Amino acid sequence: MKTTQIVLSALGMAAMLVAGSSLAQDKKNITLPESNYQAGGSPLANEPMYQATNPKAPPMTQAEFDKARQIYFERCAGCHGVLRKGATGKPLTPDITQTKGTDYLKVFIAYGSPAGMPNWQTSGEMTEEEVDLMARYIQHDPPTPPEFGMADMKATWKVIVPPEQRPKKKMNNYNISNIFSTTLRDTGEVALIDGDTKKIINIVKTGYAVHISRLSASGRYLYVIGRDGKINMIDLWMEKPDNVAEIRIGLEARSVDTSKYKGYEDKFAIAGAYWPPQYVIMKGDTLEPLKIVSTRGNTVDTQEYHPEPRVASIVASHFKPEFVVNVKETGQTLMVDYSNIDALKVTSIGTARFLHDGGWDSTKRYFLVAANQSNKIVAVDAKEGKLVKLIDVGQIPHPGRGANFVHPKYGPVWATGHLGDETIALIGTDPVKHKANAWKMVQSLKGQGGGSLFIKTHPKSHHLYVDTPLNPDPKISQSVAVFDIRNLDKGYTVLPIAEWAGIKDDGAKRVVQPEFNKSGDEVWFSVWSAKNKESAIVVVDDKTLKLKAVIKDPRLITPTGHFNVHNTQHDVY
C-alpha cells in the first residue's frame, strides 16, 4: 500500500471533521452555491510572479510553482485571498500550513471539510498529482502580484474618439433609454440590444467577464468594467454605439460608477480594484486617470492591519458630491468627496466586514449593502454621512442592487436574496412614516432555495423576481420564483425560464439576473450555459407571467448580467 494511501486512510475521517481547526471556516458552514461563487477564476492567474525561496517548505521546481500558482488563482484565491491572508476562507500562510505538513494538507484538499472547503480530488476537480502540488505550494511564501500605478494605467489608456470628434447630437434612431447592455462573460464583450425590437445593435469588445454596466448621469455614456480591471466607455449617441475610450485600472476589479450630483454630471468616473486594493478617479469624458487611493488598512472589528482589502461596490451619492466606496475585507464604507480631488476628503464609516454589493432605497438617501459573510445588511445614510444600522439577515446575502417596493403591511421595504439559504429578507426603509419598521428585517420569505444572485421589481410592477442560478439542483437553477407583492403570504410561482428558451443541448442553462425594460412591463432573463453551448435571453410579460420573446443569436455566448439604460441610469430596482 502506498504511503499516501495509508495517510489518506488514517487521516481521512479526521480531515472531514476539522471544522474547528486553523484551516477551517469558523463561521457558519459555507454552502455549495457560496463555494461555487467564490471559486471563480481570477485574472491574476496569468500574471508573472516571483517565487521566493523558503527553506522550510517542501521543494518545488519553477515549473511546478508556476502551475500551482495558476491553479491557486483559478480555484482558491476567491476564498483565501491573493496573499493567502484569508477572506471567505481561512488564512493559508506558511506559518500555518507548514505546521500541518504535506500529508495532512493533501487530505484536507482532497476531501474538503464540513465547514465549506471543497473536496477538490474526490469531486474530480483536481487529480492526485495536482492535490500534491497544491499541498506543497501553500507551504511556500505566497507570491505577490505586481502593483499597478499611474504609469501602468496610462500605458493602457486609449482615447479612441476624442470628445471634440464625437457627435454633437444623437445620430441614431434607437430608443436609447430602453437599450440593454448584456454581458457576454467568456468572450470579453457586451451585447447592446434594442429593448423595443429585441435586435442586437452591436457587439462591443470589452474586458474579460464584465461585472457591471453603469450609465453617466446624462444617460449618454455607458461604462463597463471587466474582472481584468479594464473599463470601456461606450457612446450611445453614435450611429452605431461603440467604444470611445478605455483603460485598465488594476489587475482584477469589479466596480465602476460616475458622478451624479448636480453640477458634476458626467464630470468624473470612479473604479475600484480587487488587486491592487485601490480606487481610481478619472475624467468622465476620456477616462484619463487623475487620482489613485489605496484601501489598505485596518479591519473594523479587530483593528488588525489587512494588506488586501478589495474594493467591492461603488455608487454615486445623489445628496452630495461623493462616491460611496465599500471595502470588503476591512468593513469600511468610504464617503469620497470629489468636489476637490487635489484635496480629497474621505469619511471612513466602520460598518461590517465582507462588504459586497447593494443598492439605494426608494428615496436614494440610504444605501443598503450586503456584508455577506457577516450575514448582515448595512444601512448607510448618504445625506448625513453615517451608519444607520447593521441588520441581521439570512446566510450570505447577495442582493445585486436589491429591490424596492411598498409592502402592504410594513410600508416601503428593500429586499435581498441569499447565496446560503432559501430566504428573501425584507427590510423596512421608511424612518418617517413607518418608524417602527425602519432598519429591521420585517419579514423573511421562503424562496426556491439558496444560490440566489439577483432580485428585482419595478415601480409599475406588482411582482418580485428571485433567481437561483448557483443552486445545485438544475430544476431550481433553470427557473425563477415570482412573488405577488400584494399577497406575499401565498408563496411564489415558478417560471420555467430555461424550458421556455427552447435550447436543445445539455448546457447548464442557469437563469440569471431579472431586469425590467424601461416601461416596467417586460422582464428579461439570461439563460447562461458554457461557451461551447447554446445560450439565450428570455423575455417575460410582467402582467401575465407568460413568455413574450426569446432572443437567440450565435454571438450571444455566455450571457449573464444585463442592464437597462433607463433603470440603471435612474437607480430603478
Side-chain angles (χ1 to χ4, degrees):
M1 191 179 229
K2 291 182 180 179
T3 303
T4 300
Q5 291 174 321
I6 294 172
V7 172
L8 287 174
S9 177
L11 298 181
M13 287 305 296
M16 294 299 288
L17 298 173
V18 291
S21 81
S22 60
L23 289 179
Q25 177 59 261
D26 57 5
K27 296 179 183 293
K28 294 182 179 180
N29 288 356
I30 301 173
T31 61
L32 179 60
E34 164 69 350
S35 64
N36 288 341
Y37 176 72
Q38 294 290 357
S42 165
L44 294 172
N46 297 315
E47 290 295 330
M49 298 180 202
Y50 172 70
Q51 178 186 358
T53 302
N54 188 323
K56 296 181 180 180
M60 296 189 79
T61 67
Q62 184 66 49
E64 286 179 321
F65 186 87
D66 289 342
K67 181 179 179 181
R69 176 181 59 77
Q70 183 174 4
I71 292 173
Y72 180 83
F73 282 101
E74 288 177 346
R75 303 285 182 84
C76 317
C79 280
H80 297 285
V82 168
L83 302 179
R84 304 211 304 262
K85 294 287 188 180
T88 302
K90 297 297 283 184
L92 293 176
T93 46
D95 59 312
I96 297 170
T97 55
Q98 286 177 7
T99 61
K100 299 297 179 182
T102 302
D103 286 331
Y104 180 95
L105 294 170
K106 285 165 68 173
V107 173
F108 192 82
I109 295 168
Y111 286 90
S113 83
M117 173 69 175
N119 53 325
W120 291 109
Q121 183 177 325
T122 56
S123 68
E125 295 286 335
M126 289 186 190
T127 65
E128 184 176 350
E129 291 74 20
E130 287 173 331
V131 168
D132 174 75
L133 194 68
M134 298 310 295
R136 288 184 286 137
Y137 171 79
I138 60 176
Q139 295 177 71
H140 283 255
D141 295 337
T144 302
E147 296 294 318
F148 204 85
M150 184 63 76
D152 301 298
M153 292 181 199
K154 287 195 172 180
T156 70
W157 174 47
K158 297 179 183 177
V159 180
I160 300 163
V161 182
E164 62 272 15
Q165 296 178 19
R166 296 173 195 165
K168 306 303 180 188
K169 61 180 181 179
K170 189 164 81 80
M171 301 301 290
N172 58 61
N173 294 322
Y174 299 118
N175 178 7
I176 286 179
S177 60
N178 200 34
I179 288 176
F180 286 75
S181 174
T182 296
T183 299
L184 305 181
R185 188 185 187 281
D186 293 335
T187 63
E189 299 168 323
V190 294
L192 302 181
I193 305 176
D194 187 329
D196 294 347
T197 66
K198 316 295 188 291
K199 302 295 184 183
I200 295 175
I201 296 169
N202 197 13
I203 303 289
V204 181
K205 288 291 182 183
T206 62
Y208 167 73
V210 165
H211 193 66
I212 59 171
S213 297
R214 291 291 182 260
L215 271 297
S216 64
S218 66
R220 173 177 180 173
Y221 293 112
L222 177 73
Y223 300 77
V224 298
I225 188 164
R227 291 183 64 174
D228 57 359
K230 185 179 180 182
I231 303 172
N232 290 80
M233 179 180 175
I234 299 167
D235 187 353
L236 298 176
W237 278 15
M238 296 170 68
E239 185 175 354
K240 178 182 281 189
D242 210 335
N243 286 316
V244 293
E246 64 180 42
I247 192 172
R248 197 176 182 195
I249 56 89
L251 300 177
E252 185 169 1
R254 297 293 188 279
S255 51
V256 67
D257 211 336
T258 65
S259 50
K260 302 286 175 66
Y261 188 67
K262 186 176 181 180
Y264 292 90
E265 297 92 339
D266 296 18
K267 185 173 183 179
F268 295 116
I270 183 173
Y274 267 28
W275 187 269
Q278 62 192 24
Y279 59 88
V280 182
I281 298 175
M282 299 157 280
K283 286 186 177 180
D285 60 349
T286 65
L287 299 181
E288 178 184 358
L290 301 172
K291 190 86 169 181
I292 304 171
V293 183
S294 173
T295 55
R296 292 179 171 104
N298 295 74
T299 61
V300 66
D301 44 11
T302 61
Q303 297 291 296
E304 293 177 286
Y305 177 76
H306 200 294
E308 191 194 334
R310 298 174 286 184
V311 178
S313 54
I314 299 177
V315 295
S317 173
H318 299 268
F319 282 86
K320 296 178 183 178
E322 289 182 335
F323 293 118
V324 184
V325 178
N326 295 283
V327 187
K328 198 176 186 78
E329 276 71 28
T330 55
Q332 302 285 347
T333 296
L334 309 178
M335 312 300 284
V336 179
D337 184 339
Y338 54 76
S339 61
N340 183 355
I341 65 169
D342 293 322
L344 199 68
K345 297 178 182 178
V346 180
T347 301
S348 183
I349 303 172
T351 54
R353 292 184 69 188
F354 311 113
L355 296 172
H356 193 60
D357 57 350
W360 296 106
D361 79 309
S362 59
T363 68
K364 300 180 177 61
R365 172 174 174 173
Y366 301 98
F367 184 66
L368 294 101
V369 58
N372 52 22
Q373 281 297 324
S374 296
N375 299 333
K376 298 181 186 296
I377 295 294
V378 176
V380 173
D381 185 342
K383 183 177 180 180
E384 298 295 331
K386 65 181 182 181
L387 172 67
V388 176
K389 191 73 177 292
L390 300 179
I391 305 151
D392 292 321
V393 290
Q395 188 174 353
I396 314 162
H398 193 289
R401 306 202 81 179
N404 289 299
F405 61 92
V406 178
H407 192 286
K409 180 178 179 181
Y410 300 110
V413 297
W414 178 90
T416 180
H418 297 83
L419 269 165
D421 65 36
E422 73 277 13
T423 64
I424 296 99
L426 308 185
I427 296 168
T429 59
D430 180 6
V432 178
K433 295 182 180 179
H434 299 82
K435 187 176 181 179
N437 302 326
W439 318 125
K440 62 180 67 173
M441 184 171 67
V442 295
Q443 188 172 1
S444 178
L445 307 175
K446 185 175 181 180
Q448 287 200 90
S452 176
L453 291 180
F454 300 100
I455 186 168
K456 193 61 66 78
T457 188
H458 189 278
K460 295 181 180 178
S461 172
H462 60 81
H463 291 128
L464 178 69
Y465 296 84
V466 186
D467 72 11
T468 41
L470 296 185
N471 194 284
D473 185 343
K475 290 183 180 178
I476 297 176
S477 66
Q478 295 179 7
S479 61
V480 296
V482 187
F483 291 86
D484 187 337
I485 291 168
R486 302 167 300 183
N487 187 5
L488 293 166
D489 293 335
K490 76 175 184 180
Y492 56 84
T493 300
V494 175
L495 301 186
I497 302 296
E499 179 184 322
W500 287 351
I503 295 172
K504 302 301 181 185
D505 65 33
D506 59 351
K509 293 176 277 193
R510 292 177 291 240
V511 175
V512 63
Q513 195 156 353
E515 174 73 336
F516 278 83
N517 63 346
K518 177 184 178 181
S519 61
D521 57 9
E522 291 178 356
V523 191
W524 292 38
F525 300 89
S526 287
V527 181
W528 168 29
S529 288
K531 59 184 177 182
N532 62 341
K533 301 290 183 180
E534 186 180 20
S535 294
I537 293 171
V538 170
V539 182
V540 172
D541 186 314
D542 178 63
K543 304 300 181 186
T544 64
L545 300 183
K546 302 295 185 183
L547 175 64
K548 187 169 185 178
V550 177
I551 304 172
K552 290 182 179 179
D553 190 290
R555 297 172 292 172
L556 290 178
I557 299 170
T558 59
T560 51
H562 37 237
F563 304 85
N564 176 268
V565 166
H566 176 269
N567 294 338
T568 305
Q569 178 188 357
H570 297 285
D571 295 308
V572 177
Y573 35 83

